[in-house]
Amino acid sequence: MEFVLCSQEYVAFRSKLANSSSSARDLLVQLGSALFDLAPKLHIGFVGCGLMAPATPLCPNGENGSLTIYHDREALPIIPSKSDVVHVTPTGEKGFFTLMVHPIKGHTFTEEEKLAIQLLNQDCYMLGGRARLIGMVQKAAITDPMTGVDNQTGLMQFASQIMAQGNIHDYTGIFINLKNFKYINKSANPQVGDLALKMYVNSAKNFLNNDEIIARLGGDNFYVMIRKENAQAFIDKYTSLPISVSQNPKPISFNIMARMGVYPIRQGDTPTEFMNNASIALNVARSVRNIDVMSFSNDMLVNALHQREISSEFHSAIRNKEFLVYYQPKVDLNTKQICGSEALVRWLRHKTIVPPMDFIPILECEGSICALDFYVFERVCQDIHLWLESGIEPVRISVNFSKIHLKNTHLADDILSIMQKYNVDSKYIEVELTEVSDYEDSIAMQNFVSTMRKKGVSISIDDFGTGYSTLNVLKNLDVDVIKLDKSLLDNIDGSNSQGEVVVRNVVNLAKEMHKEVIAEGVENEQQAKFLSTVNCTKVQGYLFDKPLKREDFQNRLTQKVYC
Ligand code: C2E
Ligand code: CA
Ligand code: CA
């Protein structure tokens, strides 16, 4: 035994292996070369090994194989002999590592040689285990544990390889977000959701070739890099994939739907660029009704940069009081008197006035609209307070509150406490809301409307007659005012057109339900005349005034009649 441990060959063997690589297969190849000098000393003619490891999340198919490590072909034909040594050692994941050692032709291992071989086995087992462990740690770093596909780090490694080969422009990047996954998770138990996710991902992985990749970025977000010629077939299949999950008492079948942002990668793009551009296209797909797949365009990038600019400047803008409140009068057609007003926000940004449609949809997406609406509301209450203090009788002022507020269970209290702070009577306040489609929001809206009305605050439904507001709102919501959208007045020309019939009947319906009706966007006399004849006598529009600066509106309050 000592003769082996002290031999130069063994020392050389150990030191060669101690520097071994992180892959078990590379290690075994090195083992073969390391054995080159040591094997003859122990009369070894053949060394082979086998590994049987069960499936694990990191290695979904398990490992099963054998390999010849060393074979002195001159000294040994592989025929089993009595003195063959076979060692079987269990692995960490309840598999087996087997080492088979045959002596050279005609030799029988001595007891000493057998002990030395046992030592070799232990070396192989420990170093092999170490190499596999390092390999697993490296694999874990690039694998998503839930689905077994690559994670973002894996995706980056893959992309670097393709970029190093100079082939990145052969690929299309697809950012995927599952559309109905939250719903699946809510309606079935979470295991069904997990299983469905795995099935979707595994199906996509099987669809892809070895030089393509799907990676999970987190939650139900994925990124695919696929060769350009295969992209359309992938998109067609994976925007809606039928899945059947086995469950007791019977399997559940449904389609997993996905939205996709598609970006054909260009030579020279960095990973940040090709991921970002696909993500921008996905965001656009998210915001467009009935469209699930969007291809990137440069305009999208310009818009996305604008959005980022707006979002990043918003908080300092609100601190610096860059937002101004304009007031647009509402006029009673019978008396030609101002009978109310709507507060409309403007952003004085870099010395220019920015209209709300340039920033409100962006703030709505990220939720900061709530802070802005309260800012506007507080300015309105402050103005009402100041007008009353200086002896000017204000009119009822309506303030727009985004539907995002309905997630706030204290909305009514928050509004009422601002009114209290400025000592503003509820008769001066109207809250403008738009209809909501989500069931939970509509319940929250009903509660909010009834609380506010009990406190004497009026509620109006904005944009009535557009896609966002339907007759349902009349049925389900007990509001005070219906604001007819400007689009309903587009074809008013005195010819009893279909548009006129609609307006006449909507006004009748609303009045029959004891609602106030006001038409907005009234631009000409013909529209005003028609509205008068159908008994809609309150209007708001450029015919009388555009939204006015506070000071100009104050003048309107003091001379209430329009000539
Ligand atoms: P909206 O609530 O429907 O407001 C009416 C819009 O129509 C206003 O545009 C107003 O200036 C415009 N308008 C009024 N009369 C006429 C007319 O005769 N002709 C034409 N062509 N337009 C007219 P504005 O001020 O640009 O506001 C656009 C939208 O921005 C508003 O639509 C509202 O949805 C939103 N908004 C404005 N201020 C706020 C706010 O403080 N909070 C929230 N959440 N949204 C706001
Ligand atoms: Ca409004
Ligand atoms: Ca409106």
Side-chain angles (χ1 to χ4, degrees), residues 286-303:
R286 272 205 183 104
S287 63
V288 181
R289 267 195 205 182
N290 301 327
I291 290 197
D292 289 335
V293 180
M294 269 285 175
S295 278
F296 173 84
S297 74
N298 276 330
D299 285 353
M300 290 179 185
L301 183 62
V302 172
N303 281 339

Side-chain angles (χ1 to χ4, degrees), residues 346-538:
R346 302 288 180 263
W347 185 353
L348 183 60
R349 181 172 177 246
H350 312 316
K351 296 193 179 140
T352 40
I353 297 279
V354 186
M357 291 325 277
D358 283 9
F359 56 89
I360 283 185
I362 298 169
L363 301 179
E364 273 190 329
C365 276
E366 53 172 54
S368 21
I369 185 66
C370 297
L372 181 65
D373 284 348
F374 273 109
Y375 176 90
V376 170
F377 185 63
E378 185 148 1
R379 303 305 305 228
V380 168
C381 288
Q382 207 172 25
D383 284 345
I384 293 174
H385 179 82
L386 291 174
W387 286 321
L388 285 167
E389 267 200 335
S390 51
I392 300 172
E393 176 65 18
V395 284
R396 189 167 84 197
I397 296 183
S398 61
V399 181
N400 294 282
F401 273 84
S402 158
K403 59 182 84 170
I404 313 288
H405 288 280
L406 294 170
K407 306 274 180 253
N408 170 8
T409 47
H410 307 119
L411 177 62
D413 290 341
D414 293 347
I415 292 177
L416 292 166
S417 75
I418 292 176
M419 288 164 61
Q420 220 168 21
K421 178 174 165 189
Y422 293 94
N423 203 13
V424 169
D425 193 294
S426 58
K427 70 176 179 188
Y428 294 119
I429 299 295
E430 179 177 315
V431 172
E432 287 196 18
L433 300 169
T434 48
E435 197 191 1
V436 291
S437 48
D438 188 271
Y439 175 74
E440 280 168 24
D441 284 350
S442 67
I443 298 291
M445 190 149 159
Q446 280 172 24
N447 291 336
F448 172 73
V449 169
S450 91
T451 311
M452 294 306 278
R453 291 195 70 211
K454 272 185 207 143
K455 298 283 179 187
V457 177
S458 305
I459 306 283
S460 54
I461 282 293
D462 205 357
D463 304 336
F464 191 86
T466 63
Y468 302 106
S469 190
T470 64
L471 287 177
N472 263 341
V473 81
L474 284 179
K475 209 173 73 192
N476 300 333
L477 269 184
D478 193 12
V479 297
D480 302 85
V481 184
I482 300 293
K483 286 194 86 178
L484 300 185
D485 190 68
K486 178 180 178 302
S487 59
L488 286 180
L489 304 185
D490 281 350
N491 299 316
I492 304 297
D493 54 11
S495 66
N496 199 24
S497 61
Q498 289 191 359
E500 290 176 15
V501 175
V502 169
V503 174
R504 183 181 305 119
N505 284 287
V506 168
V507 174
N508 282 342
L509 189 67
K511 292 255 159 144
E512 207 167 302
M513 297 175 92
H514 309 290
K515 316 266 180 232
E516 249 181 64
V517 186
I518 177 162
E520 62 179 346
V522 178
E523 291 180 339
N524 56 51
E525 286 291 351
Q526 200 167 31
Q527 290 169 332
K529 215 167 135 201
F530 167 76
L531 289 163
S532 257
T533 58
V534 299
N535 204 18
C536 173
T537 52
K538 299 226 165 92

Side-chain angles (χ1 to χ4, degrees), residues 220-266:
D220 55 2
N221 291 311
F222 300 89
Y223 195 84
V224 166
M225 279 178 71
I226 187 167
R227 297 188 71 85
K228 281 185 174 149
E229 62 273 21
N230 302 333
Q232 194 53 52
F234 181 91
I235 293 166
D236 292 344
K237 182 159 182 190
Y238 289 99
T239 36
S240 176
L241 185 76
I243 294 269
S244 179
V245 179
S246 30
Q247 272 280 294
N248 264 336
K250 58 179 181 161
I252 311 181
S253 300
F254 47 86
N255 280 18
I256 295 199
M257 321 279 277
R259 286 199 182 90
M260 299 187 185
V262 182
Y263 176 64
I265 302 174
R266 291 176 291 209

Side-chain angles (χ1 to χ4, degrees), residues 149-261:
V149 298
D150 280 71
N151 59 17
Q152 186 157 352
T153 314
L155 176 70
M156 287 303 129
Q157 274 186 16
F158 175 86
S160 314
Q161 281 164 17
I162 304 291
M163 284 162 74
Q165 292 160 11
N167 295 336
I168 199 72
H169 59 289
D170 290 339
Y171 285 80
T172 288
I174 307 176
F175 211 118
I176 303 180
N177 176 255
L178 301 187
K179 208 172 141 184
N180 53 347
F181 196 64
K182 267 189 205 124
Y183 170 75
I184 293 170
N185 258 346
K186 262 191 195 170
S187 55
N189 68 49
Q191 285 96 316
V192 171
D194 287 358
L195 264 175
L197 190 76
K198 282 186 211 167
M199 288 166 94
Y200 180 87
V201 176
N202 281 322
S203 167
K205 191 177 162 72
N206 290 336
F207 182 96
L208 298 173
N209 298 311
N210 286 341
D211 57 353
E212 297 166 338
I213 190 171
I214 176 164
R216 183 171 181 223
L217 307 177
D220 55 2
N221 291 311
F222 300 89
Y223 195 84
V224 166
M225 279 178 71
I226 187 167
R227 297 188 71 85
K228 281 185 174 149
E229 62 273 21
N230 302 333
Q232 194 53 52
F234 181 91
I235 293 166
D236 292 344
K237 182 159 182 190
Y238 289 99
T239 36
S240 176
L241 185 76
I243 294 269
S244 179
V245 179
S246 30
Q247 272 280 294
N248 264 336
K250 58 179 181 161
I252 311 181
S253 300
F254 47 86
N255 280 18
I256 295 199
M257 321 279 277
R259 286 199 182 90
M260 299 187 185

Side-chain angles (χ1 to χ4, degrees), residues 309-323 347 363 366-369 371-372:
E309 225 173 80
I310 296 287
S311 312
S312 66
E313 283 180 32
F314 172 72
H315 291 286
S316 66
I318 213 158
R319 268 197 312 274
N320 300 338
K321 300 194 166 53
E322 289 174 25
F323 292 99
W347 185 353
L363 301 179
E366 53 172 54
S368 21
I369 185 66
L372 181 65

